[in-house]
Amino acid sequence: MLTGKRVRNRRNHHFTQEEINKRIHSTHNKAVFLPNGVDTNRFYYTNNYIHIKEQLSIAPSTKIILTLARVIERKGHDTVLRALPKILARHPDTVYIIAGSGHGTYIDKLNALIKELNLTKNVRFTSFIDDKHLNTFYSMSNIYVMVSRLIESEGDSEGFGITFLEANACGCPVIGSYSGGIPDAIEDGVNGFLVQPDDPEALANKIIQIFDSKSLHQKLANQGLKRVQTQFTWEIITEQLLSIIKKKL
């Protein structure tokens, strides 16, 4: 397992590229890394979300944590739930939105954990979110969280994490884990924070840190948006691709 210190020193993580080179037994970097891009004409901040909060019975002043992803074990929703009691002790007006369709067995596990931790009033399941509502959910959330883990028995890991950049484009700070390609999407302390997988204590501390400081929240939001605009638009990714092709010709 990579320690947090070691990963922090690897600014160019490029997890997927490394995995491909391993599988084709290449020592010559035959696979070239290009990140996913974000359409900033599609993903941007909107304040048109009051009706969504009303539908979900969320008060206007409530702090919102969002995970928008398939509801499967790898995504680490259970780690967020285990972090919630500590968060609620300091910020009781917090709701965790679990958005996305998923595996029934894992959802049953999450519901059992919610009941065990007495979190029924603080968690909302929304199932699948239509594309036209994605902006709304990102924009109304205070923090986007996806603390994925590696499922070693299945070789299942997070390749990148495009939702982190979509959230950033909508002005939402993000928290992810040192797992798979997530460090390619999150620059720790710039557009959000990274924590170790399966560490609810560390996750709770980072969420509380952001909730406690409006200036930190705004700083991460501003830096996240700028990072998307300067590094991850499809125009920029296309230019990088064309440059790589020209070098190979």
Side-chain angles (χ1 to χ4, degrees), residues 70-81 96 98 102-113 125 149:
R70 287 182 298 152
V71 188
I72 56 176
E73 185 179 358
R74 171 164 59 84
K75 300 293 184 178
H77 301 81
D78 53 299
T79 301
V80 186
L81 292 176
Y96 177 36
I98 298 176
H103 193 283
T105 302
Y106 183 58
I107 292 175
D108 290 343
K109 176 182 176 180
L110 295 181
N111 277 317
L113 185 57
F125 285 90
R149 57 170 66 94

Side-chain angles (χ1 to χ4, degrees), residues 8-24:
R8 285 189 184 94
N9 289 333
R10 296 179 63 190
R11 295 294 297 277
N12 296 314
H13 191 272
H14 299 180
F15 169 79
T16 303
Q17 179 188 26
E18 293 173 1
E19 288 299 304
I20 291 173
N21 281 322
K22 286 179 188 176
R23 296 181 189 200
I24 63 176

